[in-house]
């Protein structure tokens, strides 16, 4: 745990015993480590689908390790339609997420209007620990918040499960 009370993300995911779920609600992210890959996609339409490549090096081993412990990893993405170029790129990349053990679903934003959603993207671990991710207006990292508050956890669980129930499996969602 860091001095500000927020665990390192890898440490948090390694603490999962049953489930790790990720809720994404932005139509564009502009985090620095994705810049080159996204620009390549915009120029050429190509994506890095090699789970062993340097682009994926920090993620795929962590997912494989987590899934191997019997943890179910689910990721739900709420997206506007028509989708942004970023979401088209993310959709193309999702083949790697699925190949290493994540279950991914997509929910068109118009179908989420009656779901009470948290204000930020998040990770929920074992239905008891939440890490919220903050982003700037243009999609860059802005910080994190960690909580185990039962009321917040209950709200996050309900929101994620409502999204998951309505969302479309990655294989059936077209962009």
């Amino acid at each position: 745990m860091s001095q500000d009370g927020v665990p390192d993300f890898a440490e948090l995911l390694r603490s999962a015993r049953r489930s790790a779920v990720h809720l994404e609600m932005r139509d564009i992210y502009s985090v620095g480590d994705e810049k080159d890959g996204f620009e390549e996609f915009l120029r050429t339409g190509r994506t890095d689908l090699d789970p062993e490549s340097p682009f994926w090096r920090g993620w795929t081993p962590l997912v494989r390790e987590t899934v191997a412990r019997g943890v179910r990893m689910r990721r739900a993405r709420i997206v506007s339609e028509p989708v942004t170029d970023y979401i088209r790129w993310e959709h193309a990349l999702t083949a790697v997420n699925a190949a290493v053990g994540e279950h991914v679903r997509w929910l068109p934003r118009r179908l989420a209007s009656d779901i009470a959603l948290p204000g930020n993207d998040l990770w929920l671990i074992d239905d008891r620990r939440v890490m919220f991710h903050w982003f700037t207006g243009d999609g860059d990292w802005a910080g994190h918040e960690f909580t185990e508050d039962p009321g917040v956890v209950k709200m996050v669980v309900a929101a994620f499960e409502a999204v998951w129930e309505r969302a479309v499996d990655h294989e059936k969602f077209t962009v």
Side-chain angles (χ1 to χ4, degrees):
M1 187 88 59
S2 70
Q3 289 179 334
D4 60 1
V6 177
D8 168 76
F9 178 74
E11 171 189 324
L12 181 66
L13 197 53
R14 285 185 176 114
S15 76
R17 296 296 169 246
R18 296 178 318 282
S19 65
V21 303
H22 187 33
L23 181 59
E24 296 178 60
M25 299 181 285
R26 296 183 56 92
D27 288 318
I28 188 163
Y29 297 85
S30 61
V31 293
D33 60 347
E34 296 179 343
K35 183 179 182 221
D36 292 341
F38 181 49
E39 287 176 358
E40 171 77 9
F41 175 75
L42 291 176
R43 276 193 318 278
T44 67
R46 289 191 305 264
T47 59
D48 183 347
L49 297 178
D50 176 4
E52 310 309 321
S53 75
F55 177 79
W56 290 100
R57 188 174 298 141
W59 185 243
T60 56
L62 187 57
V63 172
R64 287 177 176 138
E65 170 191 320
T66 302
V67 170
R69 288 195 319 274
V71 175
R72 184 168 183 225
M73 289 188 70
R74 296 183 292 161
R75 179 186 301 256
R77 293 175 170 142
I78 300 173
V79 296
S80 299
E81 294 177 305
V83 300
T84 62
D85 287 340
Y86 183 90
I87 294 299
R88 284 189 317 104
W89 178 61
E90 199 171 52
H91 186 270
L93 288 171
T94 300
V96 174
N97 297 84
V100 297
E102 284 188 71
H103 302 276
V104 181
R105 290 187 181 177
W106 302 81
L107 181 64
R109 193 172 309 283
R110 63 185 164 75
L111 301 177
S113 296
D114 63 341
I115 300 173
L117 296 168
N120 295 290
D121 288 12
L122 61 90
W123 277 91
L124 169 67
I125 305 298
D126 293 333
D127 291 341
R128 63 182 187 85
R129 305 170 81 196
V130 179
M131 179 182 280
F132 290 105
H133 296 295
W134 303 327
F135 294 91
T136 63
D138 62 1
D140 202 359
W141 290 110
H144 306 281
E145 178 183 357
F146 177 76
T147 186
E148 294 178 289
D149 178 276
V152 174
V153 169
K154 182 178 179 182
M155 179 271 299
V156 166
V157 169
F160 183 86
E161 294 304 332
V163 168
W164 189 257
E165 184 177 308
R166 288 186 192 177
V168 177
D169 284 329
H170 173 70
E171 301 78 29
K172 296 178 183 172
F173 187 76
T174 56
V175 296

